[in-house]
């Protein structure tokens, strides 16, 4: 019984936490909550950057595949003609069509369009005896404006720009006249 009375006496005499203890507890709680918020915000930004990079890669791959499809389903002369400089492909009536300029298919999370294009870099004709091979080099590029805090290099105009590029060499042996020796 004496132990019970001592516990009640102790509890009655305690006046609560001091102001210093409460301030320290609130500071620790604030630090933990702020750290959690910063971690969640950083994770969200990383997810958005990964999403945009994936979209950029998919758009560039789609154009590279359209380039190969166009090559495989057209004559070599038709493949090498048409749009000069940068171009892209769009499906028209179920067939890929070569169109001059940039392709702006989607908007990223900032509302900025992706710019996708194909650029012809040059031709090489390899004549090592039959067959004669003509090889064209192309660069497929997908660009978009970065999110705040995303580290992308500066372009020629001094603006940050994220870029994905594929280099491809496409060759065919048909439709080529033999080269006279």
């Amino acid at each position: 019984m004496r132990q019970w009375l001592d516990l009640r006496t102790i509890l009655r005499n305690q006046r609560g936490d001091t102001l210093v203890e409460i301030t320290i507890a609130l500071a620790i709680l604030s630090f933990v909550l702020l750290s959690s918020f910063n971690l969640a915000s950083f994770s969200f930004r990383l997810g958005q950057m990964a999403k945009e990079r994936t979209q950029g890669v998919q758009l560039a791959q789609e154009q590279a595949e359209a380039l190969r499809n166009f090559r495989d389903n057209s004559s070599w002369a038709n493949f090498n003609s048409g749009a000069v400089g940068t171009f892209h492909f769009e499906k028209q009536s179920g067939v890929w069509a070569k169109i001059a300029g940039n392709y702006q298919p989607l908007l990223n999370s900032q509302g900025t369009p992706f710019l996708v294009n194909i650029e012809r870099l040059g031709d090489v004709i390899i004549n090592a005896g039959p067959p004669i091979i003509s090889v064209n080099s192309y660069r497929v590029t997908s660009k978009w404006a970065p999110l705040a805090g995303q580290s992308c290099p500066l372009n020629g105009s001094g603006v940050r720009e994220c870029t994905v590029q594929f280099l491809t060499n496409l060759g065919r042996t048909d439709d080529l006249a033999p080269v006279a020796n």
Side-chain angles (χ1 to χ4, degrees):
M1 179 88 165
R2 181 80 182 138
Q3 289 176 346
W4 175 254
L5 290 176
D6 288 338
L7 183 58
R8 279 184 23 199
T9 307
I10 291 171
L11 290 175
R12 246 188 241 146
N13 290 338
Q14 194 171 19
R15 301 208 182 256
D17 295 326
T18 64
L19 188 57
V20 173
E21 291 171 332
I22 292 173
T23 304
I24 291 172
L26 285 175
I28 292 171
L29 181 64
S30 297
F31 177 76
V32 168
L33 290 176
L34 187 60
S35 297
S36 299
F37 176 75
N38 284 338
L39 180 62
S41 176
F42 180 72
S43 297
F44 178 74
R45 269 187 292 146
L46 280 180
Q48 286 297 107
M49 290 187 306
K51 176 184 171 186
E52 288 185 357
R53 183 157 188 81
T54 300
Q55 286 176 330
V57 168
Q58 287 173 341
L59 291 169
Q61 284 177 334
E62 176 188 50
Q63 289 296 303
E65 289 299 321
L67 180 66
R68 289 183 196 99
N69 184 289
F70 188 76
R71 176 207 56 192
D72 293 343
N73 294 312
S74 64
S75 70
W76 191 245
N78 186 31
F79 178 66
N80 287 327
S81 68
V84 180
T86 59
F87 61 94
H88 68 278
F89 290 98
E90 289 183 16
K91 272 221 169 168
Q92 295 178 349
S93 303
V95 178
W96 288 106
K98 189 191 274 189
I99 299 170
N102 293 321
Y103 178 47
Q104 299 182 5
L106 299 172
L107 297 178
N108 62 12
S109 59
Q110 289 183 289
T112 307
F114 285 90
L115 297 177
V116 184
N117 62 47
I118 302 170
E119 178 183 6
R120 186 172 174 185
L121 300 177
D123 299 338
V124 177
I125 295 180
I126 301 169
N127 184 12
I132 299 166
I133 302 171
S134 177
V135 177
N136 293 338
S137 294
Y138 293 90
R139 178 178 29 230
V140 181
T141 306
S142 179
K143 299 177 185 180
W144 65 96
L147 292 168
Q150 187 174 359
S151 60
C152 291
L154 296 172
N155 65 12
S157 304
V159 177
R160 293 217 175 273
E161 186 173 69
C162 298
T163 305
V164 173
Q165 291 185 339
F166 293 113
L167 296 175
T168 184
N169 294 318
L170 300 178
R172 293 216 357 209
T173 56
D174 61 343
D175 295 338
L176 291 176
V179 176
N181 290 338

